[in-house]
């Protein structure tokens, strides 16, 4: 035999051997495909017959077992299903997921006790490499509580109580378990304060209702007490309380953070300022008084001293009817501040505040003009304070019936503070001046620019006035009724309240059923409250709240009605009912946060 022939025979033998091997594999593969097809079409008897002819290792393969198992369970052959899974366990002894599958077979057979016992066995015998696949398998079978137990077992094995945090957060998010989600999210900042912004965002997205807010507050209070050395929980509690407008609680945390960080009351000053903006004057006053008492030689003393009186002023101005004796008292307090701190660029805002009181509350315009001129002429005074004084002086010109002088000053501030909140404020005043004069087209041209203003408050005011003009000149193009209403609003601005009330009554009588009717009623109720006629204010507001046609201003009217019942008529139960009504009927209202806070306070919750 030649050398080449000898070399060819082993190669030929090998090729023949390889050609014969796949025949069985091909037949097996064909049976698998056909069996799976039968299983998915619901022909389970045929599927089980074909699956049963496969060798054990093929029956327990990952691409076969689920379909084979499904067909056996559809035929209620639970014992055979159990045997099949146990075969898979023997074949793949290191893979704990089959233990979950076995428990699911017991559950499908109706033996829940056996299923629970099997799940417990799986979890108790886990090692660290099996945690994620087993938890994933529990989730696949829609068993989130067992997936959670698996991750928590993994946490014990890892000896780290933040291990598997992201997986648990995802699990709780998918299952809407907000209380557990909060607790788990908070764990992220336990050892890593860098996670604070992420955690705030997570919580912001999670908190949907009052129940969620309360659950988070309880969790944070527990953590603040449990880990007093970790400032991050106080930071989060402070953030939450500001979100809920619970400034009393926020001040407690701010004081603790100031003491810990030795920041001389800066956190308290921040919270007091936010409380002041939100008209929680008691909390703001409490914060400023604390800084004055505890940090007499601190860098915030002078600011706190001025803001304290300004907050008291805002409180007096928002308490109707306004007491002239209290206004005199406030001016006396401002004079004490000036005596203590001097008439300097740093106290220019005090002079400005005094001027506004003289002009708008005591009708002492010459004294007001003198003080404002002192601010405007003061060397090195802050430009913002100077221009704010110019706006106030322009307002006084408007009070005196000198619109040209007023618009000149407003326009100066617009130019010197272009594209800034103060400039926008001046433009808004100019728009309002045009509105008072009945020049609605010019007013609208100003307002359309202001809708894009960076200050949300100015943009909202511009939007409201713009809508008022648009709505009431659409049908009545000459705006006859709106002109009468603008005259009333100018009288309100000039503090001529009896004249304004007479004007509103005349307007309501002259234009019955006009689109302005609900605005006129709301304004009338506000003026009745300001003059101390609370019962009439309630009657007026009920004309809006009892009429479903007035849906645009219904939440405004309802909140004002509740405020009058609470603050002026002292009917706490009626106020509580009305606040709750607002929360239920108008969940998107801008008054919801404040109504919720007031409702909780009246209910007796610990804030």
């Amino acid at each position: 035999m030649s050398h080449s022939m000898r070399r060819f025979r082993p190669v030929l033998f090998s090729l023949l051997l390889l050609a014969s091997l796949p025949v069985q594999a091909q037949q097996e593969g064909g049976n698998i495909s056909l069996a799976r097809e039968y299983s998915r079409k619901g022909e389970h008897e045929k599927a089980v017959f074909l699956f049963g002819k496969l060798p054990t290792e093929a029956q327990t393969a990952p691409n076969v077992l689920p379909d084979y198992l499904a067909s056996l369970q559809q035929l209620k052959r639970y014992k055979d299903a159990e045997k099949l899974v146990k075969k898979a366990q023997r074949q793949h002894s290191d893979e704990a997921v089959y233990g979950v599958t076995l428990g699911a077979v017991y559950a499908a057979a109706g033996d829940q006790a056996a299923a629970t016992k099997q799940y417990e066995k799986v979890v108790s015998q886990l090692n660290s490499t099996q945690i994620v696949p087993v938890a994933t398998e529990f989730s696949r079978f829609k068993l989130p509580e067992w997936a959670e137990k698996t991750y928590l077992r993994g946490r014990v094995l890892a000896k780290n109580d933040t291990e598997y945090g992201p997986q648990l957060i995802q699990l709780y998010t998918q299952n809407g378990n907000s209380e557990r989600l909060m607790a788990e999210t908070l764990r992220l900042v336990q050892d890593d304060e860098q996670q604070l912004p992420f955690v705030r965002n997570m919580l912001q997205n999670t908190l949907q209702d009052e129940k969620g807010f309360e659950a988070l507050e309880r969790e944070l209070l527990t953590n603040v007490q449990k880990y007093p050395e970790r400032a991050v929980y106080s930071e989060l509690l402070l953030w939450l309380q500001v979100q809920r407008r619970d400034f009393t609680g926020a001040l407690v945390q701010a004081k603790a953070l100031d003491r810990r960080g030795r920041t001389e009351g800066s956190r308290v000053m921040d919270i007091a300022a936010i409380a002041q903006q939100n008209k929680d004057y008691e909390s703001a006053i409490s914060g400023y008084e604390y800084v004055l008492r505890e940090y007499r030689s601190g860098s915030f003393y002078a600011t706190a001293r001025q803001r304290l009186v300004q907050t008291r002023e805002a409180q007096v101005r928002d308490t109707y009817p306004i007491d002239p004796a209290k206004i005199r008292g406030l001016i006396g307090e401002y004079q004490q501040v000036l005596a203590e701190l001097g008439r300097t660029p740093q106290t220019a805002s005090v002079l400005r505040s005094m001027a506004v009181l003289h002009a708008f509350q005591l009708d002492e315009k010459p004294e007001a003009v003198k003080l404002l001129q002192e601010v405007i002429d003061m060397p090195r005074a802050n430009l913002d304070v100077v221009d704010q004084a110019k706006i106030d002086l322009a307002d006084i010109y408007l009070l005196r019936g000198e619109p040209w002088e007023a618009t000149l000053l407003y326009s100066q501030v617009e130019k010197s503070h272009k594209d800034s909140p103060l400039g926008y404020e001046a433009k808004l005043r100019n728009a309002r001046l045009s509105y008072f004069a009945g020049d609605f087209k010019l007013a609208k041209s100003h307002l359309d620019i202001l809708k894009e203003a960076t200050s949300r408050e100015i943009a909202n005011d511009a939007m409201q006035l713009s809508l008022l003009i648009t709505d009431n000149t659409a049908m009545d193009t000459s705006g006859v009724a709106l002109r009468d209403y603008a005259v009333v609003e100018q009288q309100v601005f000039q503090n001529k309240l009896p004249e304004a009330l007479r004007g509103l009554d005349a307007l309501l009588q002259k234009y019955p059923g006009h689109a302005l009717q609900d605005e006129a009623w709301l304004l009338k109720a506000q003026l009745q409250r300001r003059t101390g006629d609370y019962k009439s204010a309630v009657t007026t507001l009920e004309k809006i709240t009892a009429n479903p046609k007035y849906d645009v201003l219904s939440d405004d009217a309802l909140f004002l009605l509740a405020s009058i019942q609470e603050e002026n008529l002292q009917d706490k139960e009626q106020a509580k009912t009305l606040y709750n009504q607002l929360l239920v009927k108008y969940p998107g209202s801008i008054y919801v946060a404040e109504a919720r806070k007031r409702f909780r306070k009246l209910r007796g919750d610990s804030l």
Side-chain angles (χ1 to χ4, degrees), residues 24-40 46-68:
Q24 186 180 350
Q26 284 172 6
Q27 188 179 355
E28 200 176 280
N31 284 345
I32 289 170
S33 298
L34 188 57
R36 288 170 72 191
E37 187 63 29
Y38 281 138
S39 177
R40 285 164 192 180
K46 291 177 183 175
V48 166
F49 173 75
L50 287 174
F51 281 134
K53 291 173 70 176
L54 297 172
T56 299
E57 60 272 16
Q59 290 175 350
T60 62
N63 66 329
V64 173
L65 182 69
D67 290 314
Y68 190 4

Side-chain angles (χ1 to χ4, degrees), residues 443-598:
K444 273 277 285 162
S445 69
H446 286 300
L447 295 168
D448 288 342
I449 296 167
L450 286 169
K451 285 185 213 171
E452 307 301 320
T454 49
S455 162
R456 189 177 66 181
E457 196 173 315
I458 291 170
N460 285 346
D461 287 348
M463 185 73 77
Q464 283 182 1
L465 185 52
S466 180
L467 284 172
L468 181 72
I469 293 169
T470 304
D471 291 349
N472 292 286
T473 52
M475 302 296 287
D476 175 10
T477 49
S478 59
V480 177
L482 187 60
R483 284 173 202 280
D484 288 353
Y485 187 73
V487 168
V488 169
E489 288 214 278
Q490 184 168 5
Q491 288 169 337
V492 173
F493 174 74
Q494 293 169 327
N495 221 12
K496 297 175 181 175
L497 303 191
E499 293 93 326
L501 279 163
R502 285 195 295 273
L504 283 170
D505 285 337
L507 187 146
L508 286 162
Q509 196 172 359
K510 192 174 174 184
Y511 309 104
H514 193 279
L516 270 168
Q517 191 167 262
D518 50 343
E519 268 99 354
W521 274 335
L522 184 63
L523 180 55
K524 184 178 177 180
Q526 289 166 340
L527 299 182
Q528 286 168 325
R529 187 192 192 194
R530 280 175 66 171
T531 53
D533 189 0
Y534 306 122
K535 287 208 159 73
S536 296
V538 167
T539 305
T540 304
L541 287 168
E542 283 170 349
K543 291 180 192 294
I544 300 173
T545 58
N547 193 331
K549 197 172 74 172
Y550 301 122
D551 58 335
V552 175
L553 293 177
S554 290
D555 61 327
D556 302 75
L558 195 53
F559 184 78
L560 183 56
L561 191 55
S563 301
I564 292 169
Q565 294 289 359
E566 179 190 8
E567 296 164 14
N568 306 120
L569 297 174
Q570 306 296 313
D571 189 340
K572 308 296 182 190
E573 281 306 309
Q574 180 64 9
K576 189 168 75 171
T577 302
L578 291 167
Y579 285 131
N580 190 51
Q581 198 177 321
L582 189 145
L583 293 171
V584 173
K585 282 180 76 175
Y586 307 104
S589 169
I590 58 168
Y591 300 106
V592 161
E594 184 62 23
R596 183 190 293 121
K597 177 187 159 187
R598 293 187 183 199

Side-chain angles (χ1 to χ4, degrees), residues 9 63 90 131 164 192 281 345 368 382 423 429 510 544 559 567:
R9 286 183 65 183
N63 66 329
R90 286 193 294 273
I131 300 300
Y164 302 107
D192 183 6
Y281 301 124
N382 181 284
R429 302 289 175 110
K510 192 174 174 184
I544 300 173
F559 184 78
E567 296 164 14

Side-chain angles (χ1 to χ4, degrees), residues 11-248:
V11 173
L12 181 63
F13 177 76
S14 299
L15 288 170
L16 288 169
L17 184 64
L18 284 169
S20 66
L21 280 175
V23 174
Q24 186 180 350
Q26 284 172 6
Q27 188 179 355
E28 200 176 280
N31 284 345
I32 289 170
S33 298
L34 188 57
R36 288 170 72 191
E37 187 63 29
Y38 281 138
S39 177
R40 285 164 192 180
K41 283 165 67 177
E43 297 182 43
H44 299 296
E45 290 283 5
K46 291 177 183 175
V48 166
F49 173 75
L50 287 174
F51 281 134
K53 291 173 70 176
L54 297 172
T56 299
E57 60 272 16
Q59 290 175 350
T60 62
N63 66 329
V64 173
L65 182 69
D67 290 314
Y68 190 4
L69 203 53
S71 286
L72 287 171
Q73 287 176 317
Q74 285 294 325
L75 297 171
K76 296 190 169 29
R77 288 170 57 176
Y78 298 117
K79 279 291 171 193
D80 290 335
E82 182 185 346
K83 284 178 192 171
L84 175 63
V85 178
K86 284 182 174 176
K87 269 192 220 173
Q89 283 183 302
R90 286 193 294 273
Q91 291 271 324
H92 310 279
S93 56
D94 58 333
E95 293 186 30
V97 290
Y98 293 107
V100 179
T101 311
L102 183 59
V105 168
Y106 293 143
D111 192 347
Q112 196 55 52
T116 302
K117 191 175 176 184
Q118 174 59 26
Y119 296 147
E120 284 170 350
K121 182 181 174 185
V122 170
V123 173
S124 66
Q125 294 177 354
L126 288 168
N127 63 45
S128 55
T129 63
Q130 297 169 330
I131 300 300
V132 173
V134 167
T136 304
E137 191 72 357
F138 275 128
S139 292
R140 193 173 71 80
F141 281 111
K142 296 187 170 48
L143 296 166
E145 69 280 14
W146 286 101
E148 178 191 20
K149 285 178 184 178
T150 303
Y151 287 128
L152 293 176
R153 174 65 187 157
R155 186 167 277 178
V156 171
L157 292 172
K159 296 184 174 134
N160 179 351
D161 64 0
T162 59
E163 195 75 15
Y164 302 107
Q167 289 91 336
L168 282 162
I169 285 170
Q170 186 180 13
L171 183 70
Y172 296 142
T173 303
Q174 286 168 348
N175 293 288
N177 191 334
S178 57
E179 201 154 334
R180 296 275 179 87
L181 175 59
M182 284 174 200
E184 198 54 49
T185 303
L186 293 179
R187 281 181 196 276
L188 293 177
V189 292
Q190 191 169 295
D191 299 314
D192 183 6
E193 295 196 8
Q194 300 296 317
Q195 296 277 2
L196 189 57
F198 168 75
V199 167
R200 275 197 199 121
N201 286 338
M202 280 289 296
L203 294 171
Q204 189 104 47
N205 295 333
T206 305
L207 297 170
Q208 301 293 336
D209 52 25
E210 187 61 25
K211 194 176 167 189
F213 279 113
E214 287 174 356
L216 177 58
E217 192 168 50
R218 281 195 302 273
E219 192 72 38
L220 284 170
L221 282 166
T222 301
N223 283 342
V224 165
Q225 289 159 3
K226 195 173 174 184
Y227 308 105
E229 74 289 354
R230 288 179 183 154
V232 70
Y233 291 122
S234 289
E235 290 280 7
L236 273 170
L237 189 53
L238 174 65
W239 166 80
L240 175 66
Q241 286 160 334
V242 169
Q243 298 295 305
R244 304 189 76 187
R245 301 191 186 185
D246 173 11
F247 300 112
T248 307

Side-chain angles (χ1 to χ4, degrees), residues 363-432:
D363 198 23
E364 296 171 353
K365 298 182 190 74
E367 182 61 27
V369 170
K370 184 180 159 192
L371 288 166
L372 290 170
Q373 204 61 55
E374 186 180 344
V375 174
I376 293 165
D377 296 339
M378 187 178 283
R380 298 187 307 282
N382 181 284
L383 182 60
D384 282 4
V385 178
V386 169
D387 276 0
Q388 186 63 66
K390 284 183 179 179
I391 289 176
D392 296 329
L393 188 54
D395 287 346
I396 293 170
Y397 282 131
L398 200 51
L399 286 182
R400 296 200 311 205
E402 299 175 44
W404 288 111
E405 294 293 334
T407 197
L408 193 65
L409 280 170
Y410 292 144
S411 300
Q412 275 183 28
V413 178
E414 271 191 67
K415 282 176 189 162
S416 66
H417 271 81
K418 202 169 176 63
D419 298 325
S420 78
L422 204 54
Y424 291 137
E425 181 66 44
K427 186 176 276 296
L428 182 62
R429 302 289 175 110
N430 250 332
R432 190 185 58 187

